[in-house]
Amino acid sequence: MVTTRFTDIRRFDTLDSTNRYLLDEARLGAPEGVVAVADHQHAGRGRLGRSWEAPAGANLLVSVLLRPELDPELRHLASAVVALAASDAIGGCTGRVPGIKWPNDLLGGDGRKLAGVLAEADLGSRPDQGPPPIVVGIGINVGWPASEADLPPELAGSATSIRMETGQDVDRGQLLDGLLTALEPRVADLGSSDGRSGQAAAFRDRCVTLGQRVRVTLADRAFEGTAVDVSPEGHLVVDGDGGRRTVVAGDVVHLRPAG
Ligand code: BT5
């Protein structure tokens, strides 16, 4: 593995959540680059209080601690680079590079969810500990579900895995190596303006949401339009009936195909 940043890899049989663990470590002063991997999570987190499901030993459940110097409106780029690195790593292991649904999902060929990304920042951190920590976690469905029959009713028709997509049994350790190796230069890019716009452009190139008619649900309203661009900050630009709007990842409850 070629990485200088992600050398402290902490492995657990069981944790409540790798994101929770690293947020606590960050509060205690852990540096950028600590990685937490669990075979099983008993309280895996999705966005906005949703949960992330995976049986023990089947999938990759990993979080990384970043401390990028990013203005608040650029923070989504921290999760964007993790999604990109995961897409790189899956492509490296299987020969098929998955597309990314803005803001945080990797999709299989038929639009089912193959992986989800959750970024959580500790904005109350002490200034003497450097930029606020951002913990970015990703759950990649590797071996589970093995088939549609494995899925609980609430995920039927909406989740897939590397196994289901390709028929391959990918080694989770190799996938993690690939992810961290791909992530290293992408995180380094967050430190410069050119690097950031390069990462946003890479995200735009892999973003399968563009060109789609979408329904964007925010906390207090919803609207429809066509997703036309990803901004240099990583926001989604939507051409709607009421004009062009820029949608920020943290404000979105759901983004679904319209109609
Ligand atoms: C996400 O949330 O997609 C972020 C998932 C992040 C999980 C990782 S695992 C390592 C780290 N530690 C954590 O505690 N979390 C991170 P969201 O967009 O809110 O999607 C959650 C929704 O996806 C759920 O409400 C389900 O409908 C669905 N879902 C749950 N588990 C799934 C799975 N394994 N595959 C596909 N869909 C799933």
Side-chain angles (χ1 to χ4, degrees), residues 17-19 41 45-47 50-53 113 116 139 141 159:
S17 153
T18 53
N19 265 38
Q41 296 181 128
R45 299 177 182 175
R47 298 171 62 236
R50 297 189 283 253
S51 62
W52 188 255
E53 309 299 332
K113 189 154 163 161
N141 296 338

Side-chain angles (χ1 to χ4, degrees), residues 81 83-93 97-98 106 178-179 182-183 186 206:
V81 293
L84 280 166
S87 167
D88 294 337
I90 294 169
C93 287
V97 178
L106 267 55
L179 193 161
L183 188 57
R186 293 193 181 280
R206 230 170 270 182

